[in-house]
Amino acid sequence: MVTTTGNLKRVAIDPVTRVEGHGKVTLLLDEQNRVHQARLHIVEFRGFERFILGRPFWEVPVLVQRLCGICPVSHHLAAAKAMDRIVGGENLTPTAEKMRRLMHYGQFFQSHALHFFHLVSPDLLFGFDADPAIRNVIGVAAKYPELAVQGVMMRKYGQEVILRTAGKKIHGTGAIPGGINKNLSIKERDELLKDIEQMVKWSQAAVQLARDYTLKHLDKVATFGSFDSNHLSLIRADGAMDLYHGGLRAITADGQKIFDHVDYLKYAEYIAEEVRPWSYMKFPFIRSLGPANGWYRVGPLARLNTADFIDTPEAEAARKEFKAVTKGKPNNISLAYHWARMIELLHAIEKIRLLLHDPDLQGTDLVVRGERREETVGLIEAPRGTLFHHYKVNRDDQVVMANLIVSTTNNNEPMNRAVQRVAQDYLNGREITEALLNHIEVAIRAYDPCLSCATHALGQMPLVVELVDAHGNLVDRKVRGADSAG
Amino acid sequence: MANGPRILILAWGNPGRRDDGLGPAAAAALEALDVPGLKVACDYQLTVEDVAAIAESDVVIFVDAAIAGPEPFSFQRVTPGEGSSFSTHSVTPSQVLTLAADLFGARPAAWLLGIRGYEFDEFGESLSPAAQKNLAAAVGFLRNMVERGDFYGAAAASEAALVDAASKGVV
């Protein structure tokens, strides 16, 4: 996005970066000027659910991609899984399920690579307190060009996988109710196989980078924005991590199971959403624990905590190292999201390699149909966490109800907790310092919030931090990134 | 054009958010023209992997919707530049040009076409009538430029003249 720069000789252009809003943080002080609450404001856009109403159900897997420019494939697949049940086609053919999985792993690979190499690596390589003018992808390119190239090429590879499975990079149509509309040709497979070993090697190196950073700085990392929480994800029947399908598992901060292998069609019996007056975004929680104690984390850290094992060898070895840090107990360290994310990156590319050698991808049995239904739920593990799609469809095939709980919404309370912890640790006096801004940025970034699904704000993506005293007076306000990319 | 410059049209936007779909609409229109030597790419947003395609091009035209600025469109040179972002997954044209230069040694001539839109703050798949008119003007402008093979010439020409022509909607 190009913004008006103040140079009046230039043409004033304000193209739209449609996918991001702004991150606004309010820090509430008590009478002793200590932070007693942090509020991360994200303007959730519920309008999309209304936008879907009245549309034919078969359009929904394509339509929902327009919800978000960052993870359209996740919405595409979650909606397709939901609509499978509408046509009674949830028991997919092997070709259909494997094509969808390939698409999904491609999405994971590109999304995690992008986040780590281009958003997080500057923090890790230059330090949290480095000048933001350097602590960015351009800075990485200048000082660590090899790493930056890897990020570009890994992201590109994931996009190529998506292109060949979804049919298009934008508005993919690969998944349809009850199956898919294309298989993978030998030519497409061979094109993807050309670079696969390189991608595996780079992924292994990325895991090592994240692991080394975490272990080297464990004293700081362990407490930075950290807190105990419940964790939630889908899980395979045998307890393996499964990013595409499974039952719901929730565990406590010390690893006790709250529920396990729950059929996600019944998610509403286990998960509720709380509304708070200061936020447009809801706060999901586990019903049996209530809103005060039932909030949970989702995403890479949660998935590493809930899974009993990973079914690909390299990622499983990495998982064991990860678990050793907390002696097998759940890891509640916010910054460990990065290490967990890279383990999933490695898992995704291992899965892609396995699938590319699977002849089922060249099968021609693409769609199944069965008993027609009128209500449906589709869940998937998106890169940022569990994604819920819930629909009702009438006899005229029109969607009459839609409820989406996106990953970032699931992580709403944890992000607030992370910011609060950082603010309590780094606020000194009544002034928002550069150091505090830096640390808040780093804490939020660990969760990789996808504000595009959750907001309707158009334009740039500044971080606004406000300090409010015990009497409601605005004491300080700082904005970062208002003149930067959206 | 077969032996001419490698031209990349790189458009982005969300067609599900009204006039934000101006970039994809322009890409679709240009792709339909099937101009030899012209590569058209489209995505929801500009991202870092676009650097790879940029590095293989001599001329890059970025195309996005504009929420303000000249009607029916603006057209200006883009040069490598810095910038930082908080959590966005998108980058600016200047940033991707910087990355293309730093990572691949590529320095294509680049312009940004900002097509003026009006309706952004809602979901919907259609462009506003005014945006449709601006789109037609912008596509005609680009088509003429591409068919004349004038991008290289444009690099040497007065930028002010280009901007002026664009701001007046001269196509």
Side-chain angles (χ1 to χ4, degrees):
Chain A
M1 172 174 181
V2 172
T3 58
T4 306
T5 62
N7 179 351
L8 298 179
K9 292 180 182 175
R10 292 182 71 86
V11 175
I13 290 188
D14 201 359
V16 175
T17 301
R18 75 289 316 144
V19 292
E20 299 277 11
H22 63 269
K24 182 182 171 188
V25 172
T26 305
L27 304 176
L28 304 177
L29 303 177
D30 61 17
E31 293 285 0
Q32 285 73 44
N33 289 329
R34 293 174 306 206
V35 175
H36 80 93
Q37 191 179 32
R39 294 173 174 176
L40 173 63
H41 304 266
I42 296 174
V43 184
E44 185 174 32
F45 190 75
R46 306 295 290 182
F48 195 84
E49 290 156 348
R50 290 195 298 274
F51 176 57
I52 298 172
L53 299 185
R55 304 298 287 256
F57 73 83
W58 58 80
E59 281 187 3
V60 173
V62 175
L63 208 56
V64 290
Q65 294 174 85
R66 298 178 184 180
L67 179 62
C68 171
I70 292 177
C71 48
V73 171
S74 303
H75 285 294
H76 179 54
L77 290 174
K81 286 183 74 176
M83 296 313 169
D84 289 344
R85 294 190 57 80
I86 293 294
V87 301
E90 66 273 19
N91 295 315
L92 298 175
T93 67
T95 301
E97 180 170 336
K98 288 174 183 177
M99 280 294 287
R100 286 192 187 178
R101 282 182 176 273
L102 183 58
M103 190 193 309
H104 192 44
Y105 296 129
Q107 160 82 345
F108 258 80
F109 190 69
Q110 63 87 15
S111 177
H112 280 1
L114 179 71
H115 183 260
F116 185 72
F117 285 94
H118 296 283
L119 290 174
V120 172
S121 75
D123 295 334
L124 307 190
L125 296 169
F126 297 112
F128 301 171
D129 291 322
D131 182 351
I134 299 167
R135 187 166 46 89
N136 57 50
V137 62
I138 307 288
V140 173
K143 196 165 179 187
Y144 305 93
E146 199 175 304
L147 205 61
V149 168
Q150 286 178 21
V152 170
M153 301 314 288
M154 290 168 82
R155 161 91 176 174
K156 185 167 185 282
Y157 185 84
Q159 292 285 32
E160 294 293 328
V161 173
I162 292 168
L163 179 64
R164 284 164 177 75
T165 48
K168 295 189 274 186
K169 255 172 83 176
I170 183 167
H171 294 169
T173 56
I176 58 176
I180 51 161
N181 65 7
K182 78 180 285 291
N183 66 7
L184 192 75
S185 70
I186 297 288
K187 182 171 178 284
E188 289 171 321
R189 180 200 67 186
D190 291 347
E191 283 169 350
L192 293 174
L193 278 171
K194 269 191 271 180
D195 295 323
I196 188 75
E197 295 306 327
Q198 182 64 73
M199 295 301 145
V200 172
K201 281 182 188 161
W202 283 345
S203 301
Q204 290 165 336
V207 171
Q208 190 169 336
L209 180 62
R211 180 199 62 192
D212 290 351
Y213 176 85
T214 308
L215 296 180
K216 185 177 175 187
H217 301 88
L218 194 55
D219 284 350
K220 180 173 182 179
V221 164
T223 55
F224 185 90
S226 291
F227 47 85
D228 283 354
S229 78
N230 306 307
H231 301 271
L232 178 133
S233 81
L234 291 176
I235 204 83
R236 204 167 72 183
D238 60 0
M241 172 186 283
D242 194 329
L243 303 175
Y244 178 76
H245 192 63
L248 280 168
R249 172 180 285 179
I251 62 170
T252 61
D254 62 356
Q256 302 300 312
K257 288 190 177 68
I258 303 166
F259 52 73
D260 202 10
H261 299 298
V262 165
D263 182 349
Y264 62 63
L265 295 174
K266 300 175 182 170
Y267 83 94
E269 296 175 20
Y270 294 83
I271 305 290
E273 296 176 272
E274 183 193 14
V275 176
R276 296 182 192 171
W278 58 268
S279 176
Y280 289 99
M281 192 159 76
K282 292 182 180 177
F283 290 79
F285 63 93
I286 294 165
R287 281 186 186 277
S288 62
L289 300 179
N293 301 310
W295 52 276
Y296 53 85
R297 281 190 269 204
V298 298
L301 183 70
R303 290 187 289 250
L304 263 287
N305 284 331
T306 55
D308 297 331
F309 68 99
I310 299 177
D311 67 351
T312 54
E314 301 269 358
E316 172 61 6
R319 187 194 71 88
K320 285 177 176 166
E321 261 195 290
F322 181 89
K323 295 293 284 188
V325 173
T326 50
K327 298 180 171 55
K329 288 286 186 184
N331 186 319
N332 287 289
I333 301 170
S334 285
L335 287 182
Y337 261 97
H338 300 315
W339 186 3
R341 195 172 282 118
M342 289 304 93
I343 294 171
E344 290 189 340
L345 176 94
L346 182 56
H347 173 58
I349 200 65
E350 285 185 290
K351 282 289 197 184
I352 290 170
R353 181 168 61 182
L354 282 169
L355 284 166
L356 290 177
H357 289 290
D358 190 329
D360 277 346
L361 288 177
Q362 281 77 52
T364 54
D365 193 5
L366 306 183
V367 180
V368 289
R369 288 281 194 276
E371 181 190 353
R372 179 76 157 70
R373 300 187 184 91
E374 294 188 354
E375 183 166 1
T376 185
V377 177
L379 254 70
I380 200 162
E381 285 296 326
R384 289 157 193 81
T386 318
L387 171 62
F388 298 64
H389 278 216
H390 182 184
Y391 304 100
K392 290 181 183 174
V393 177
N394 67 17
R395 290 181 183 178
D396 296 324
D397 292 345
Q398 293 171 313
V399 175
V400 292
M401 187 283 287
N403 184 46
L404 311 180
I405 308 177
V406 301
S407 314
T408 295
T409 301
N410 281 308
N411 268 336
N412 194 0
E413 178 68 22
M415 288 191 294
N416 280 275
R417 298 272 173 156
V419 171
Q420 180 170 328
R421 174 75 195 270
V422 165
Q424 286 169 336
D425 288 348
Y426 293 94
L427 179 70
N428 188 8
R430 288 162 61 93
E431 184 188 359
I432 301 167
T433 61
E434 284 296 306
L436 179 62
L437 272 176
N438 289 342
H439 288 82
I440 288 175
E441 267 190 1
V442 171
I444 297 173
R445 200 175 277 146
Y447 291 84
D448 189 17
C450 180
L451 305 183
S452 55
C453 304
T455 180
H456 72 155
L458 297 168
Q460 298 171 332
M461 180 56 197
L463 173 64
V464 182
V465 178
E466 293 181 346
L467 203 56
V468 177
D469 70 15
H471 306 286
N473 302 312
L474 184 65
V475 189
D476 198 7
R477 184 175 191 271
K478 288 271 167 49
V479 180
R480 169 170 292 168
D483 59 350
S484 63
Chain B
M1 291 292 296
N3 297 318
R6 298 167 299 171
I7 303 166
L8 172 66
I9 302 287
L10 199 46
W12 64 95
N14 186 342
R17 289 195 177 177
R18 302 295 314 274
D19 292 352
D20 194 34
L22 275 164
L30 289 165
E31 199 155 28
L33 296 175
D34 200 19
V35 179
L38 184 69
K39 184 177 175 186
V40 180
C42 183
D43 208 336
Y44 281 100
Q45 60 201 87
L46 195 60
T47 59
V48 289
E49 84 267 14
D50 293 321
V51 169
I54 289 169
E56 296 170 352
S57 305
D58 301 306
V59 174
V60 179
I61 311 295
F62 298 101
V63 182
D64 192 9
I67 59 174
E71 298 168 310
F73 58 87
S74 53
F75 190 70
Q76 71 176 57
R77 276 301 292 272
V78 186
T79 54
E82 294 188 353
S84 62
S85 54
F86 156 59
S87 80
T88 179
H89 293 71
S90 68
V91 286
T92 67
S94 290
Q95 286 176 314
V96 290
L97 289 174
T98 300
L99 289 171
D102 287 355
L103 302 181
F104 299 101
R107 290 177 173 77
W111 287 264
L112 171 62
L113 179 75
I115 309 173
R116 180 65 193 275
Y118 309 92
E119 303 291 338
F120 293 98
D121 204 10
E122 59 183 291
F123 284 105
E125 294 177 291
S126 60
L127 297 173
S128 66
Q132 286 179 16
K133 284 184 186 173
N134 295 347
L135 171 68
V139 169
F141 172 76
L142 271 181
R143 179 182 184 172
N144 287 342
M145 295 282 280
V146 170
E147 289 183 343
R148 288 201 308 266
D150 197 28
F151 288 118
Y152 265 151
S158 161
E159 184 176 325
L162 280 173
V163 171
D164 185 52
S167 65
K168 292 174 182 169
V170 178
V171 294

